[in-house]
Amino acid sequence: MMPPAISLSRSPSPSVSSSPIDRGRRSAAAVRRHGPSFAYKPAAGICYASQAVELLPSLYPDIVVRDARLEDCWEVADTHCSSFFPDYKFPLDLVLRIDRYIALLSGFSVPPGCMRTCLVVASSNSVNNCFNIEYGDPKDAGFQKYNLSRGSIAGILTVDTVADYLPRRGSLKQRRTGIAYIANVAVRKEERRKGIAKMLVQEAEARARSWGCRSMALHCDVNNLAALRLYEKQGFKCIRVPEGAKWPEPKIAKGVQYNFMMKLVPRI
């Protein structure tokens, strides 16, 4: 089921209409008297996504959070690679994107009883903003045609209950259940500081709740202060890993250290 679009609620129109010039003058006067509606204080290492997210629907009314579709695969791969491997050059960057694209096309294979989905923040008119790749002869039974979106994906996130990066349970190393794990949170460089990551995390929490999960977990780079601040504002807490324990971690690059973070999924 596709999640509902984020809509902008509007106040009822006043009974007495006024000209655009009059409304502009009144708005300017209000700003002079009371100041702007929110304070923007840029500072190194601090994420202000929570302040900006309330403005996103009004600035970008076509933005929706939904499951990734087949035609999104190339842009999802491109968003992932440009965020996590920004310094890679041709041809390695192209190889990485093709590898990620093929993995997405092959579909998500999960163990029985597990769930996984890739969420995207996209423009609602992305269906009209795509191009086709055709493989083979159209008259042949093996002919394949893929739709690729273009310029519509602003951010991505993967959430699952596979528990690949969670410590196993007991002496039999059983897979943990009831925990949704967030990974691959990425926002295009030109779309950052607009609250997109927050929207994705909130939708991931809604999915975890619908799956019956009791809690959520993730790994965050200790040097990514903006991401740490965002997750803390969403209720995640750093969990101390026992000394000497070898808990699984993502392996994106050498030398990267992670904070393991968790939160309880509130019941509604």
Side-chain angles (χ1 to χ4, degrees):
M1 179 181 296
M2 187 181 301
I6 299 175
S7 59
L8 173 64
S9 58
R10 300 182 178 179
S11 305
S13 300
S15 56
V16 180
S17 61
S18 58
S19 69
I21 296 177
D22 292 337
R23 289 196 296 269
R25 289 171 179 170
R26 286 200 298 270
S27 299
V31 171
R32 286 195 297 269
R33 288 196 305 271
H34 305 293
S37 58
F38 70 95
Y40 177 72
K41 300 176 181 179
I46 297 180
C47 176
Y48 283 91
S50 58
Q51 288 95 329
V53 71
E54 286 78 13
L55 296 176
L56 191 61
S58 58
L59 295 176
Y60 303 93
D62 293 330
I63 289 293
V64 295
V65 183
R66 58 169 173 79
D67 292 300
R69 302 167 183 162
L70 183 61
E71 61 266 26
D72 300 322
C73 287
W74 179 258
E75 222 178 336
V76 169
D78 182 62
T79 302
H80 174 90
C81 295
S82 62
S83 298
F84 291 107
F85 309 101
D87 299 326
Y88 280 38
K89 305 298 182 183
F90 182 85
L92 186 55
D93 62 339
L94 178 60
V95 173
L96 283 171
R97 283 161 172 76
I98 293 174
D99 178 75
R100 182 67 176 168
Y101 175 66
I102 293 174
L104 288 166
L105 281 181
S106 64
F108 288 125
S109 59
V110 296
C114 295
M115 303 291 292
R116 176 181 286 161
T117 188
C118 177
L119 299 174
V120 298
V121 170
S123 172
S124 62
N125 61 2
S126 62
V127 68
N128 297 320
N129 191 19
C130 61
F131 59 96
N132 299 325
I133 287 182
E134 298 180 354
Y135 176 76
D137 188 344
K139 299 179 181 179
D140 187 61
F143 173 74
Q144 295 182 11
K145 181 177 180 180
Y146 299 116
N147 291 320
L148 303 181
S149 61
R150 176 176 54 198
S152 61
I153 303 300
I156 61 173
L157 175 150
T158 302
V159 58
D160 63 56
T161 59
V162 180
D164 282 338
Y165 295 113
L166 299 177
R168 296 294 173 137
R169 185 178 56 190
S171 58
L172 298 178
K173 304 296 183 182
Q174 294 179 328
R175 189 185 303 274
R176 292 187 179 271
T177 59
I179 304 176
Y181 184 82
I182 290 178
N184 300 323
V185 183
V187 178
R188 287 188 174 275
K189 186 176 181 179
E190 63 273 16
E191 301 293 346
R192 292 171 187 170
R193 305 183 71 84
K194 296 178 181 178
I196 289 174
K198 179 178 178 180
M199 296 166 66
L200 287 164
V201 172
Q202 290 178 338
E203 179 60 28
E205 182 177 315
R207 297 301 177 90
R209 186 181 299 110
S210 69
W211 294 342
C213 295
R214 304 180 302 274
S215 58
M216 302 176 66
L218 57 87
H219 284 91
C220 184
D221 185 346
V222 296
N223 295 316
N224 193 339
L225 301 181
L228 287 170
R229 178 73 174 265
L230 169 66
Y231 295 136
E232 287 172 352
K233 285 190 173 184
Q234 296 305 304
F236 285 87
K237 305 292 183 184
C238 290
I239 305 298
R240 186 179 66 86
V241 178
E243 187 176 352
K246 295 182 179 180
W247 288 11
E249 289 183 345
K251 300 188 185 301
I252 295 178
K254 274 188 177 181
V256 178
Q257 295 182 332
Y258 297 96
N259 280 334
F260 181 62
M261 308 180 76
M262 293 190 72
K263 71 169 291 186
L264 295 175
V265 177
R267 299 298 177 187
I268 297 180

